[in-house]
Amino acid sequence: MKNPILIPELRDLLKKKKFKVLKSFMEESHPKESAEYLALMNPDEIWRLLKLVDIFHRVDIFVYLDIDVQVKLVTSSMRKNVTELLQELSSDKRADLFQHLEKDVADRLMLYLPIPDRADILKLTSYREETAGSIMTTDYATLTESDTVEAAVRKIRKTAPSRETIYYIYVIDDVGKLIGFVSLEKIILSQPRQKIKNIMKKDIIYAFTDDDQENTANLIEEYDLIALPIIDRSERLVGIITYDDAIDIIREEHTEDMEKLMAISGGVEEKPYLEVPSYVHFRKRAFWVVILAVFGLFTGLIIESFQDTLKTLLILTFYMPLLNAAGGNTGSQSATVVLRSLTLNELHPRDLVKVIKKEFLISSMLALCLGLMTFARVYLFSHTGIDPRFTLVDIAMVIAVALSLQVVWSTIFGGIIPIIATRLKVDPALVSSPLLATVVDMGGVIIYFTAAKLMLGI
Amino acid sequence: MKNPILIPELRDLLKKKKFKVLKSFMEESHPKESAEYLALMNPDEIWRLLKLVDIFHRVDIFVYLDIDVQVKLVTSSMRKNVTELLQELSSDKRADLFQHLEKDVADRLMLYLPIPDRADILKLTSYREETAGSIMTTDYATLTESDTVEAAVRKIRKTAPSRETIYYIYVIDDVGKLIGFVSLEKIILSQPRQKIKNIMKKDIIYAFTDDDQENTANLIEEYDLIALPIIDRSERLVGIITYDDAIDIIREEHTEDMEKLMAISGGVEEKPYLEVPSYVHFRKRAFWVVILAVFGLFTGLIIESFQDTLKTLLILTFYMPLLNAAGGNTGSQSATVVLRSLTLNELHPRDLVKVIKKEFLISSMLALCLGLMTFARVYLFSHTGIDPRFTLVDIAMVIAVALSLQVVWSTIFGGIIPIIATRLKVDPALVSSPLLATVVDMGGVIIYFTAAKLMLGI
């Protein structure tokens, strides 16, 4: 955010009607920076400043404002200002803005627009959330295959200002079917008389309107695209998604992955942390916390069933937190690594056996480390909670062995769970780290007391 | 990956010298798809296929091959093939390839190249890892401010094929200082006689060679750039980073964040999971697992100091896993949410008090839920492990109160730790979920037994 010290100066300039200074200030700053200054002023002041620059620059600044500010601006100003702005706004940003307006405001503003624009908004807002259709823009540049390069350049020049990008241009036939693609680079490099048909590429990467937005971001990433064309079921071009949208999607999915991993349910909030009401946070977190608490109670039942062993050897209680931590941590680690490899397509669900072998090796090394360390701790520093029937070596051995087994079981379990989830077509990220920790803990308690019973004969 | 059934057919075509069919197959497929087919063949076959298409297409395919395959290809072929390829390869990809070559192979291939290219490789491989310099390419397009639009188009046409992008063109002065920027769109839209000086933008977003790569990705994301110019300390333009590199960086940082969150130390591996040796995985995971085990032993010591309370009320042991799970889970949740908000700049470290207030509210709601649930469980279903001196209501109350306090403390602690880490200039992602779970667990045990002592007077 900008240093707010400049705001009084800007206000002062505005009051003194120093419009020339303000105009050149806004024209020389990056639209994003102008937007950061404007965000600190009231809607009336923002409008007065926005109107100093031409409509294209105005729209550039407007789109960098928070959606809340955008809503206030279009709700509060005169018809002329708003209409001009809405007509220049890119179709995806405009549809997004309409989705954030109060019903009656949206209805009123809709009337300001020509019929095709209204239809465009209705169409774009009708796609299901998180689909390609819901985030695409309809401001793409097109050509026909019979255009010459010369004619193409003329067309592009005429329509460029209202297009999201002119670096990728799509070739459509007379019913709007997508048949080819040509980059502006290719056009610049080709002879003026050449036909688009002869320079266009036909191996087009595309997605459908109802494809998941994450898949479109992946295509843009894998093929290093500037834009991805979106077609409907009759193969007609209906929109494009640009690389900057892909980056936003990747960020959003990242947040979602982290939240799932930490057992937070529901979608990602659009608003910043401090603006989301506390009860919404509560609702998103309570779901898994309550389920995991039920698991915790089960683990308690298992311990309860071993209470005779516990009474005999209270020392076992002292090492329960260690067993628990080691199991949860190693399990979460292997789950994270495998999950990430699956997401990045480095690992295929059919590699299950390879994963088990590898995690067995890794966990054996971890188990050896922790086992030796624990044996030393128990053997060297334990003085209390020991029944005189057993030697310290016996007890240290039981605890070290149980810990090692727990580490191996947790690591392998953590590694295979994301693969099994994928095979069962369940989102593997849902198998969160807390869930995993809770489940391996149940297994750990059984291992622990069974080892004690078998090895010490109690 | 492609269906390997096609591979025998390709091999067959190659054996039968059906070069025309193969050539048009490669020309009509997307370079990425061609690369996926080639990856399944041996270096000799790959070279024979690559040489069917022109050098530009050949390079397009080559860059989609895994770095291991690239290394094999340039190590195994004749001087002429390799030289042509290395000269056309973009400078960042070429520098990356050289960093993966054996020392003697790199030295030999270096001799194939003209002096300026050698200098370029040495320069690019000299930047510290994870800096802007280490990932930038030197294949950018430039103009001078006295160029006319007409002359600019001629220049661009001449140099375009060897440039990473021509959509953003940088304006430099006679000592190479970056003084402006113009997009190809702007050039297309301007009159042929106009001077670049009059259409270029001077408010350039840039980064320095020694800036962190993550910052460059953030700039590209925030300002929706196709490329970001990189300058040295004397403000000379020395490279660019393109949007597709930014996407790769964001993905890499995402993996790193997840691994840190799960207490996996060290950087991100370049190789896929199955190819990284097991002992490397072991080393990366062991560090935190061992440290956390030491914490676990401390928690054990705390329990040991309360063993008299435990002997009197063995029932307390049965609810330790629940207390533990609830504390770890709620703490991880708040830490994740706050960490993510800090990363996305939605939250400022000075908002500490606001975060505490908010997390107090959320955790009170969670505590009420879990407290009531646990009270009901203890009161309704406990039959064993209870000293006759106490009523079931007393004991249920102790456990429910301790659990509620644990949830509130863990949630607030989880929420403030990333903020405190940021203030202390420690990477907040290092405060991993397992570390947090282990620390709140220590606090939880103290809360638990202290509550029992105070409320029951034992």
Side-chain angles (χ1 to χ4, degrees):
Chain A
M1 202 180 294
K2 284 288 127 181
N3 190 340
I5 285 171
L6 244 164
I7 295 301
E9 292 175 42
L10 280 182
R11 285 212 164 109
D12 199 44
L13 288 169
L14 203 57
K15 218 157 79 187
K16 289 187 185 142
K17 304 202 171 167
K18 300 270 190 202
F19 296 132
K20 251 198 165 148
V21 184
L22 286 167
K23 183 170 188 264
S24 68
F25 167 79
M26 305 247 299
E27 279 172 353
E28 276 159 31
S29 307
H30 191 284
K32 183 182 153 73
E33 272 151 23
S34 302
E36 282 168 0
Y37 282 110
L38 291 186
L40 302 170
M41 315 190 85
N42 64 46
D44 183 55
E45 289 168 328
I46 300 178
W47 266 116
R48 275 195 287 160
L49 286 167
L50 279 179
K51 285 177 67 183
L52 294 175
V53 296
D54 69 51
I55 181 67
F56 301 118
H57 202 104
R58 197 180 306 157
V59 167
D60 284 347
I61 297 172
F62 184 79
V63 296
Y64 278 112
L65 292 167
D66 275 351
I67 193 83
D68 295 351
V69 181
Q70 290 184 8
V71 166
K72 266 187 219 145
L73 287 177
V74 297
T75 308
S76 68
S77 186
M78 291 181 308
R79 174 164 180 159
K80 188 181 149 289
N81 292 340
V82 177
T83 309
E84 198 181 9
L85 191 82
L86 288 179
Q87 284 191 303
E88 273 314 317
L89 209 55
S90 72
S91 68
D92 56 339
K93 299 270 166 30
R94 187 172 58 187
D96 196 35
L97 174 59
F98 266 84
Q99 277 182 319
H100 284 83
L101 292 176
E102 303 275 335
K103 178 83 179 67
D104 57 319
V105 179
D107 289 346
R108 177 166 58 84
L109 298 190
M110 204 62 122
L111 296 176
Y112 296 180
L113 295 168
I115 306 284
D117 284 2
R118 294 185 208 172
D120 185 67
I121 293 170
L122 288 177
K123 183 85 193 150
L124 282 179
T125 52
S126 72
Y127 291 106
R128 213 158 28 80
E129 258 191 83
E130 309 225 335
T131 61
S134 74
I135 51 164
M136 70 187 188
T137 172
T138 50
D139 305 321
Y140 47 85
T142 56
L143 294 170
T144 58
E145 57 174 356
S146 59
D147 284 329
T148 60
V149 165
E150 213 167 27
V153 173
R154 271 199 309 275
K155 266 196 194 177
I156 295 165
R157 288 178 62 131
K158 221 168 73 187
T159 58
S162 64
R163 298 295 171 240
E164 182 90 7
T165 182
I166 55 163
Y167 298 137
Y168 280 17
I169 303 153
Y170 300 97
V171 185
I172 51 175
D173 67 10
D174 37 333
V175 294
K177 240 177 82 172
L178 179 66
I179 53 172
F181 144 83
V182 61
S183 70
L184 186 60
E185 172 164 354
K186 187 77 186 176
I187 288 179
I188 292 282
L189 290 176
S190 300
Q191 296 304 321
R193 297 292 164 88
Q194 272 212 296
K195 282 267 165 66
I196 292 298
K197 184 168 53 184
N198 298 323
I199 62 167
M200 73 183 191
K201 289 203 173 181
K202 289 172 199 152
D203 57 318
I204 323 164
I205 313 297
Y206 58 82
F208 290 102
T209 48
D210 48 1
D211 281 349
D212 190 311
Q213 60 172 10
E214 195 169 359
N215 294 344
T216 66
N218 289 345
L219 284 175
I220 289 174
E221 179 182 4
E222 275 176 47
Y223 289 94
D224 295 334
L225 304 177
I226 288 183
L228 177 75
I230 308 297
I231 61 176
D232 64 16
R233 286 289 158 193
S234 43
E235 293 182 26
R236 269 189 311 234
L237 180 64
V238 288
I240 60 168
I241 293 176
T242 50
Y243 70 96
D244 49 315
D245 300 322
I247 296 180
D248 293 343
I249 295 165
I250 290 171
R251 287 274 189 205
E252 195 187 307
E253 302 285 345
H254 181 176
T255 304
E256 211 173 284
D257 279 358
M258 279 177 78
E259 295 199 343
K260 276 188 204 152
L261 207 63
M262 286 304 146
I264 300 171
S265 61
V268 172
E269 292 303 320
E270 260 184 47
K271 290 188 180 172
Y273 167 78
L274 286 175
E275 288 172 29
V276 176
S278 296
Y279 72 86
V280 173
H281 276 292
F282 162 69
R283 223 173 39 207
K284 287 179 71 179
R285 300 190 200 172
F287 179 75
W288 277 108
V289 166
V290 169
I291 290 180
L292 295 174
V294 174
F295 277 104
L297 289 172
F298 272 107
T299 311
L301 279 181
I302 299 173
I303 301 178
E304 197 170 345
S305 72
F306 284 105
Q307 57 181 308
D308 296 333
T309 316
L310 259 189
K311 272 183 203 148
T312 322
L313 276 174
L314 201 61
I315 188 176
L316 293 180
T317 319
F318 313 156
Y319 293 93
M320 266 170 49
L322 169 63
L323 203 84
N324 185 346
N329 297 341
T330 52
S332 298
Q333 286 181 335
S334 56
T336 304
V337 172
V338 170
L339 177 63
R340 190 70 188 152
S341 302
L342 285 171
T343 310
L344 299 179
N345 287 323
E346 290 176 6
L347 204 61
H348 194 276
R350 66 168 168 260
D351 296 327
L352 184 64
V353 178
K354 288 185 198 159
V355 171
I356 294 177
K357 275 190 196 159
K358 179 150 203 159
E359 292 300 328
F360 176 73
L361 252 169
I362 301 170
S363 60
S364 303
M365 293 188 260
L366 290 170
L368 194 67
C369 262
L370 296 181
L372 287 176
M373 183 176 130
T374 308
F375 183 89
R377 160 71 182 81
V378 180
Y379 183 70
L380 297 175
F381 303 107
S382 291
H383 311 292
T384 55
I386 304 158
D387 190 290
R389 278 181 290 163
F390 310 108
T391 70
L392 204 48
V393 175
D394 287 341
I395 290 166
M397 191 59 94
V398 166
I399 294 172
V401 166
L403 180 71
S404 303
L405 290 176
Q406 161 76 337
V407 167
V408 173
W409 128 257
S410 306
T411 308
I412 295 177
F413 186 72
I416 62 175
I417 276 297
I419 296 183
I420 291 172
T422 309
R423 283 196 179 185
L424 298 176
K425 314 249 179 256
V426 176
D427 179 358
L430 269 180
V431 185
S432 64
S433 155
L435 176 61
L436 196 81
T438 311
V439 173
V440 298
D441 203 21
M442 288 169 77
V445 170
I446 297 173
I447 290 174
Y448 195 43
F449 290 108
T450 310
K453 278 191 141 174
L454 292 179
M455 291 172 70
L456 300 176
I458 36 175
Chain B
M1 199 178 295
K2 284 288 130 183
N3 189 340
I5 285 170
L6 244 162
I7 296 301
E9 292 175 41
L10 280 182
R11 285 210 164 112
D12 198 45
L13 289 168
L14 204 56
K15 218 157 79 190
K16 289 187 184 141
K17 306 203 170 164
K18 300 269 190 202
F19 296 133
K20 251 198 166 148
V21 184
L22 286 167
K23 183 169 189 263
S24 69
F25 168 78
M26 305 246 302
E27 280 171 353
E28 275 159 31
S29 307
H30 191 284
K32 183 181 154 70
E33 271 151 23
S34 302
E36 281 168 1
Y37 282 110
L38 292 185
L40 301 171
M41 316 192 83
N42 66 45
D44 183 55
E45 290 167 327
I46 299 177
W47 266 117
R48 276 196 286 159
L49 286 167
L50 279 178
K51 285 176 67 184
L52 294 176
V53 295
D54 68 51
I55 179 67
F56 302 117
H57 202 104
R58 198 180 307 158
V59 167
D60 284 346
I61 297 172
F62 184 80
V63 295
Y64 278 112
L65 291 166
D66 275 352
I67 193 81
D68 295 351
V69 180
Q70 290 184 9
V71 166
K72 266 188 221 145
L73 287 177
V74 297
T75 309
S76 69
S77 186
M78 291 181 308
R79 174 164 183 160
K80 189 182 147 289
N81 292 340
V82 177
T83 310
E84 199 180 10
L85 191 80
L86 288 178
Q87 285 190 304
E88 273 314 315
L89 210 53
S90 73
S91 69
D92 57 337
K93 298 271 166 33
R94 187 171 60 187
D96 196 35
L97 174 59
F98 267 84
Q99 277 182 320
H100 285 83
L101 291 176
E102 302 276 335
K103 177 86 182 62
D104 59 319
V105 179
D107 289 346
R108 176 166 60 84
L109 297 190
M110 203 63 120
L111 296 176
Y112 296 178
L113 293 169
I115 307 283
D117 283 2
R118 294 185 208 172
D120 185 67
I121 292 169
L122 289 176
K123 182 84 194 154
L124 282 180
T125 52
S126 72
Y127 292 105
R128 210 158 31 78
E129 255 189 86
E130 308 226 334
T131 61
S134 74
I135 52 162
M136 71 188 188
T137 171
T138 51
D139 305 320
Y140 47 85
T142 56
L143 294 170
T144 59
E145 55 175 357
S146 59
D147 283 330
T148 59
V149 165
E150 212 166 28
V153 173
R154 272 200 307 276
K155 268 197 194 176
I156 295 165
R157 289 179 61 130
K158 221 167 73 186
T159 57
S162 63
R163 299 294 171 242
E164 182 89 9
T165 181
I166 56 163
Y167 298 138
Y168 280 18
I169 303 153
Y170 300 97
V171 185
I172 52 176
D173 67 10
D174 37 333
V175 295
K177 239 176 82 173
L178 179 65
I179 54 172
F181 144 82
V182 61
S183 70
L184 186 60
E185 172 164 354
K186 186 79 185 173
I187 289 179
I188 293 281
L189 290 177
S190 301
Q191 296 305 320
R193 297 291 165 89
Q194 273 213 296
K195 283 268 166 63
I196 291 298
K197 184 165 56 183
N198 299 322
I199 63 165
M200 74 183 190
K201 289 204 172 183
K202 289 171 197 153
D203 58 318
I204 322 165
I205 312 296
Y206 57 82
F208 291 103
T209 49
D210 48 1
D211 281 348
D212 189 311
Q213 62 173 9
E214 196 171 358
N215 295 343
T216 66
N218 288 344
L219 284 175
I220 289 173
E221 180 183 2
E222 275 176 48
Y223 289 94
D224 294 335
L225 304 176
I226 287 183
L228 176 76
I230 307 298
I231 61 177
D232 64 15
R233 285 289 157 194
S234 43
E235 293 181 26
R236 269 189 310 235
L237 181 64
V238 289
I240 60 168
I241 294 176
T242 49
Y243 71 95
D244 48 315
D245 301 322
I247 294 180
D248 293 343
I249 296 166
I250 290 171
R251 286 276 188 201
E252 196 185 308
E253 302 286 345
H254 180 174
T255 304
E256 211 172 284
D257 279 359
M258 277 177 82
E259 294 200 343
K260 277 188 202 154
L261 206 63
M262 286 301 146
I264 300 172
S265 61
V268 173
E269 292 304 319
E270 260 184 46
K271 289 188 182 171
Y273 167 80
L274 286 175
E275 287 172 30
V276 176
S278 295
Y279 72 87
V280 174
H281 276 291
F282 162 68
R283 222 173 40 208
K284 287 180 70 179
R285 301 190 201 172
F287 179 74
W288 277 108
V289 166
V290 169
I291 290 180
L292 295 174
V294 174
F295 277 104
L297 289 172
F298 271 108
T299 312
L301 280 180
I302 299 172
I303 301 177
E304 196 168 348
S305 73
F306 284 105
Q307 56 181 307
D308 295 334
T309 316
L310 259 189
K311 271 182 204 147
T312 323
L313 276 175
L314 201 62
I315 187 176
L316 294 180
T317 320
F318 312 155
Y319 293 94
M320 268 170 49
L322 169 64
L323 203 84
N324 186 346
N329 296 341
T330 52
S332 298
Q333 286 181 334
S334 57
T336 306
V337 172
V338 170
L339 177 63
R340 190 69 188 154
S341 301
L342 285 170
T343 310
L344 298 179
N345 287 323
E346 289 176 6
L347 204 62
H348 194 275
R350 69 169 167 262
D351 296 326
L352 184 63
V353 177
K354 287 185 199 158
V355 171
I356 295 177
K357 275 190 198 160
K358 179 152 200 153
E359 291 301 328
F360 176 72
L361 251 168
I362 300 171
S363 61
S364 303
M365 292 187 262
L366 289 170
L368 193 68
C369 264
L370 295 182
L372 286 176
M373 183 175 130
T374 309
F375 184 88
R377 160 72 180 83
V378 180
Y379 183 69
L380 297 174
F381 303 106
S382 291
H383 312 290
T384 55
I386 305 157
D387 190 290
R389 276 182 292 164
F390 310 106
T391 69
L392 203 51
V393 175
D394 287 340
I395 291 167
M397 190 60 93
V398 165
I399 295 173
V401 166
L403 180 72
S404 302
L405 289 175
Q406 162 75 339
V407 166
V408 173
W409 128 259
S410 306
T411 308
I412 294 178
F413 186 73
I416 64 176
I417 277 294
I419 297 183
I420 292 171
T422 309
R423 282 197 180 182
L424 298 176
K425 314 246 179 260
V426 177
D427 179 357
L430 270 180
V431 185
S432 64
S433 154
L435 177 60
L436 195 83
T438 311
V439 173
V440 298
D441 203 20
M442 288 170 78
V445 171
I446 297 174
I447 291 174
Y448 195 43
F449 290 108
T450 310
K453 278 192 143 172
L454 292 180
M455 290 173 68
L456 300 175
I458 33 176

